[in-house]
């Protein structure tokens, strides 16, 4: 009985493990690797913008698929076919995603340096304002002491 179960289970595994992977044909409007990297980059930025705060996107009435279709002059079918085509080309896909990740990292580093510069400027401004308050306090105390001496 256990042998029959094992054979049945093994047969089920073999049947479900067989896949019919169809080769995706090269789209008529094939994007270059560079354009595909830009597409992925734009998709990530739009997705991040929608997750962080989608109100500006709603106000501008921006739909991600429609925006990307217009920007890359593709209809939604061509866009999806390009994505499918490159997804099946493993080495090209890895290269595209690595390049997109590098571009995102550069943008993040630029944002971080701007953010750090702003923080430094805020600290300097706070220090300057604190110095002015300290000088004002010292001046008031001197004036009070001079008035007490005159009396």
């Amino acid at each position: 009985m256990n042998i029959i179960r094992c054979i049945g289970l093994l047969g089920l595994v073999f049947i479900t493990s067989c896949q019919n992977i169809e080769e995706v044909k090269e789209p008529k409007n094939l994007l270059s690797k560079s354009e595909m990297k830009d597409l992925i980059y734009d998709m990530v930025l739009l997705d991040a913008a929608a997750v962080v705060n989608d109100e500006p996107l709603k106000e501008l009435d921006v739909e991600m698929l429609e925006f990307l279709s217009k920007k890359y002059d593709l209809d939604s079918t061509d866009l999806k076919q390009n994505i499918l085509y490159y997804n099946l080309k493993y080495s090209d896909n890895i290269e595209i995603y690595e390049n997109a990740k590098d571009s995102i990292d550069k943008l993040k580093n630029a944002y971080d340096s701007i953010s750090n510069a702003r923080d430094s400027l805020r600290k300097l401004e706070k220090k300057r304002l604190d110095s002015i308050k300290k000088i004002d306090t010292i001046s008031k105390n001197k004036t009070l002491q001079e008035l007490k001496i005159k009396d």
Side-chain angles (χ1 to χ4, degrees):
M1 189 68 165
N2 284 336
I3 295 175
I4 295 173
R5 286 186 186 164
C6 289
I7 292 173
L9 182 62
L10 192 58
L12 182 63
V13 169
F14 283 129
I15 290 171
T16 58
S17 66
C18 295
Q19 297 182 29
N20 184 14
I21 299 176
E22 293 182 25
E23 189 71 26
V24 175
K25 294 180 184 176
E26 186 175 300
K28 292 177 187 174
N29 297 328
L30 180 66
L31 296 174
S32 67
K33 288 183 195 178
S34 175
E35 290 171 320
M36 196 64 189
K37 186 258 322 173
D38 293 340
L39 173 74
I40 300 299
Y41 176 80
D42 289 340
M43 288 173 69
V44 169
L45 291 181
L46 284 170
D47 186 54
V51 169
V52 171
N53 184 5
D54 67 342
E55 289 302 316
L57 295 176
K58 285 181 182 176
E59 288 174 13
L60 295 171
D61 195 29
V62 174
E63 290 292 326
M64 185 165 69
L65 190 58
E66 183 181 326
F67 172 79
L68 294 171
S69 294
K70 285 180 183 178
K71 181 174 180 180
Y72 294 96
D73 195 27
L74 299 169
D75 63 16
S76 59
T77 305
D78 287 338
L79 190 62
K80 289 177 184 178
Q81 285 178 340
N82 271 278
I83 292 170
L84 281 173
Y85 177 77
Y86 278 111
N87 279 344
L88 291 178
K89 295 196 164 277
Y90 183 76
S91 60
D92 291 342
N93 202 29
I94 293 294
E95 181 183 339
I96 289 167
Y97 276 88
E98 286 295 323
N99 290 337
K101 182 183 177 296
D102 291 344
S103 295
I104 291 167
D105 287 343
K106 287 177 187 175
L107 182 64
K108 181 186 178 301
N109 290 339
Y111 176 78
D112 287 346
S113 65
I114 290 169
S115 181
N116 289 339
R118 275 192 191 145
D119 289 347
S120 296
L121 290 172
R122 284 186 187 130
K123 286 178 185 177
L124 288 172
E125 181 65 16
K126 186 175 188 252
K127 198 174 196 179
R128 186 183 70 81
L129 290 174
D130 287 347
S131 298
I132 291 172
K133 285 179 184 178
K134 188 175 182 180
I135 290 171
D136 286 346
T137 304
I138 291 172
S139 297
K140 286 179 186 178
N141 286 341
K142 271 189 170 180
T143 307
L144 286 174
Q145 285 177 356
E146 289 173 358
L147 286 174
K148 286 182 182 179
I149 293 175
K150 288 182 182 179
D151 288 338

